[in-house]
Amino acid sequence: MEENRRFPENFVWGAASSAYQAEGAYRADGKGLSVWDVYTHEPGHIFNGDTGDVACDQYEKFDTDLTIMKELGLQAYRFSINWPRVIPDGCGQVNEKGLDFYDRMVERLLENDIIPYITLFHWELPYGLYLKGGWLNRDIVQYFAEYVSVVIRRLSDRVRFWITENEPQCYIGAALHGGGHAPGLKVGEKDIFLAAHHSLLAHGSAVEVIRETAKTASVIGYAPASWHLWSPVSDLPEDIEACRRETFRAGDDPVGATSWWLDPVILGRYPETAGYPYEKYLPEIRPEDMKMISQPIDFIGMNVYQTYRGKADGEGNCVTVKALPGAAQTNAGWPVTPEALYWGPRFYWERYHKKLYITENGLSNQDWVSLDGKVHDPQRIDFLRRYLRKLREAVREGIPVEGYFHWALTDNFEWASGYSNRFGLVYTDFASQERIIKDSGQWYSRVISSNGEII
């Protein structure tokens, strides 16, 4: 019975971050500008006028964070490469000092028995490429492949685990369609579908480069946002089936949909678009495009924070069940729905038959240092216990979830909300850059050491 409470012996426990959100040092040692560097310096875009210029200063304080990772017992650390730190203009001259930084990160992680999982693109689009058209320019596929080649040649002798792109729904949808993320555009329908197609091609080109040039056997994943999840409010087969269909329906907002980003990659085709009003805006798809986009990958990364709740309406459709007044929600206003970590992996596995990682999951909270000098965050512990119990249910049923990465290691810059949402296991004082492991960090350490038994 005791063994059943544990996760599989090879399950990976980690934490995650991204370059712009954590590194700071935005112009140090030859780094070029990203669209976020420019966007955050313009008024009215970010809460409180915050920027990622310093963020958690991980560029200078990586050894401090590494000591914390070791104390927590992390088995893996997911982080991203800042493209313009490596190639300042996005193409052309390589910045060796930028590469040296990531080389040292990898070396120090491995010296401490922490496995690096590297995300190649977590929204840090070089401003120089934005000026060339960014994701609207098909040439970005080649630029991305060249950048990936530089990173792979330098790091793949020691790094095995790669994630090509993180959450295209954000850097395509929210950035180019909604206008709330850098570079803050609101382009037309035809342009947004073209940019999405180029993003998928870039992913495929990265997979191809890794397979052809990596110095060690590579494990490659892709991590679109798992926003479009529906979980049934009952175990009735009709409710389960309705939520499954709704989870993968392209719908009226296909650029936000799960299937728009995963069907081409895994199944080699876009989801059904016949009859939808946006069909006339779809880009020309060249004969070789789908072959490139569907280069085989090894796993899907799931960034999961919440799910909608749904049920069948008796006519084959899914009806979203609204939350009751006063229902639990996070500081970011997201509903607390632990079943996301059961139904999300289950539905993904049933459709795509790929191994899975939970590459992001966590609670945005308002944490502060108490009078005793500690950071007490019982809500986060409760949140994680609820979510991880549901994940354990999925794993017990044979769904191949290989690991879990908490978002985030430290409190960091949270995009348009600046520093107003704290997700970390570790408290960051953004004035002094002092770190304090929160109660949740100490608890997560015990989760790792017990392989999930204590949840």
Side-chain angles (χ1 to χ4, degrees):
M1 186 68 178
E2 180 177 309
E3 186 64 27
N4 288 338
R5 297 179 61 184
R6 298 168 67 88
F7 280 73
E9 287 305 312
N10 60 349
F11 193 83
V12 176
W13 295 98
S17 71
S18 84
Y20 186 76
Q21 293 177 272
E23 284 179 2
Y26 89 109
R27 295 310 303 266
D29 294 332
K31 178 189 166 296
L33 293 171
S34 75
V35 291
W36 277 96
D37 293 318
V38 175
Y39 183 75
T40 58
H41 282 209
E42 297 175 354
H45 290 157
I46 308 298
F47 177 81
N48 199 41
D50 294 337
T51 76
D53 291 3
V54 178
C56 308
D57 198 24
Q58 192 174 77
Y59 190 77
E60 297 293 339
K61 295 188 174 296
F62 178 71
D63 283 343
T64 299
D65 289 342
L66 181 62
T67 299
I68 291 170
M69 293 183 221
K70 190 71 173 177
E71 183 174 343
L72 294 177
L74 291 189
Q75 298 166 350
Y77 182 50
R78 179 192 172 210
F79 63 96
S80 73
I81 305 281
N82 198 323
W83 186 349
R85 194 178 296 285
V86 172
I87 304 178
D89 293 323
C91 58
Q93 185 67 38
V94 173
N95 177 30
E96 292 297 332
K97 288 185 177 180
L99 269 178
D100 288 345
F101 170 66
Y102 297 111
D103 194 287
R104 288 193 301 273
M105 281 186 72
V106 167
E107 200 64 31
R108 295 287 287 125
L109 286 165
L110 292 174
E111 287 171 0
N112 287 274
D113 299 318
I114 298 171
I115 303 168
Y117 282 66
I118 292 182
T119 304
L120 290 160
F121 185 74
H122 198 128
W123 314 357
E124 303 95 351
L125 179 70
Y127 186 66
L129 293 188
Y130 165 72
L131 295 178
K132 294 178 182 289
W135 293 105
L136 289 168
N137 181 354
R138 191 179 173 107
D139 290 344
I140 199 169
V141 178
Q142 183 59 36
Y143 297 143
F144 190 59
E146 291 167 359
Y147 151 69
V148 170
S149 178
V150 169
V151 174
I152 295 300
R153 288 199 305 269
R154 182 63 174 270
L155 302 180
S156 66
D157 59 329
R158 288 153 293 162
V159 177
R160 293 187 59 221
F161 295 92
W162 303 94
I163 296 168
T164 57
E165 299 174 357
N166 184 81
E167 298 186 343
Q169 295 98 322
C170 293
Y171 69 81
I172 300 295
L176 303 182
H177 204 222
H181 281 196
L185 302 183
K186 292 186 178 182
V187 303
E189 300 295 330
K190 188 173 182 64
D191 287 350
I192 200 68
F193 285 108
L194 182 66
H197 188 62
H198 292 163
S199 168
L200 286 161
L201 284 168
H203 153 78
S205 75
V207 176
E208 189 171 69
V209 167
I210 298 168
R211 296 286 187 213
E212 291 178 354
T213 64
K215 298 174 184 177
T216 56
S218 297
V219 182
I220 304 174
Y222 170 60
S226 296
W227 291 345
H228 214 259
L229 295 178
W230 266 260
S231 298
V233 294
S234 81
D235 290 331
L236 292 173
E238 56 266 34
D239 287 346
I240 295 172
E241 183 56 32
C243 287
R244 179 187 289 110
R245 285 198 305 270
E246 190 65 22
T247 293
F248 298 109
R249 187 176 67 88
D252 298 324
D253 178 28
V255 177
T258 296
S259 57
W260 194 263
W261 300 101
L262 278 172
D263 280 15
V265 170
I266 310 298
L267 305 180
R269 62 179 185 271
Y270 278 114
E272 181 59 50
T273 61
Y276 285 110
Y278 54 77
E279 187 176 19
K280 61 185 175 183
Y281 300 119
L282 300 183
E284 175 189 357
I285 300 175
R286 300 178 187 177
E288 68 274 15
D289 284 0
M290 278 302 165
K291 182 179 179 182
M292 173 67 79
I293 291 170
S294 61
Q295 294 285 316
I297 62 172
D298 301 298
F299 69 89
I300 298 169
M302 299 188 69
N303 295 354
V304 184
Y305 296 90
Q306 59 178 301
T307 178
Y308 300 101
R309 290 172 167 144
K311 64 179 181 180
D313 68 353
E315 298 180 3
N317 302 310
C318 182
V319 176
T320 301
V321 178
K322 293 183 178 180
L324 295 173
Q329 62 179 17
T330 72
N331 188 60
W334 302 345
V336 177
T337 50
E339 62 269 34
L341 282 194
Y342 172 80
W343 291 105
R346 174 172 163 175
F347 286 162
Y348 273 46
W349 169 243
E350 290 171 346
R351 185 177 182 88
Y352 297 120
H353 303 289
K354 288 288 181 183
K355 292 180 178 179
L356 305 165
Y357 281 86
I358 305 303
T359 38
E360 289 184 25
N361 172 249
L363 171 76
S364 66
N365 204 25
Q366 276 296 340
D367 306 315
W368 59 83
V369 181
S370 295
L371 291 174
D372 61 5
K374 299 179 181 180
V375 180
H376 304 296
D377 56 341
Q379 298 97 331
R380 183 170 287 107
I381 295 172
D382 185 75
F383 177 98
L384 293 176
R385 179 173 273 124
R386 291 171 186 268
Y387 275 70
L388 288 172
R389 284 178 176 178
K390 288 297 183 181
L391 182 63
R392 186 169 59 189
E393 284 184 32
V395 172
R396 281 176 174 171
E397 292 183 10
I399 297 166
V401 182
E402 301 281 290
Y404 173 89
F405 288 82
H406 181 271
W407 185 270
L409 174 64
T410 61
D411 297 331
N412 55 31
F413 178 85
E414 285 296 338
W415 310 114
S417 66
Y419 297 102
S420 65
N421 281 308
R422 292 181 178 270
F423 279 88
L425 297 167
V426 179
Y427 180 89
T428 306
D429 182 321
F430 294 106
S432 68
Q433 291 301 328
E434 180 186 5
R435 271 77 156 148
I436 301 172
I437 297 175
K438 302 175 188 177
D439 287 355
S440 63
Q442 303 290 356
W443 179 82
Y444 187 58
S445 180
R446 295 194 295 275
V447 170
I448 296 171
S449 63
S450 71
N451 198 20
E453 184 178 346
I454 71 164
I455 67 170

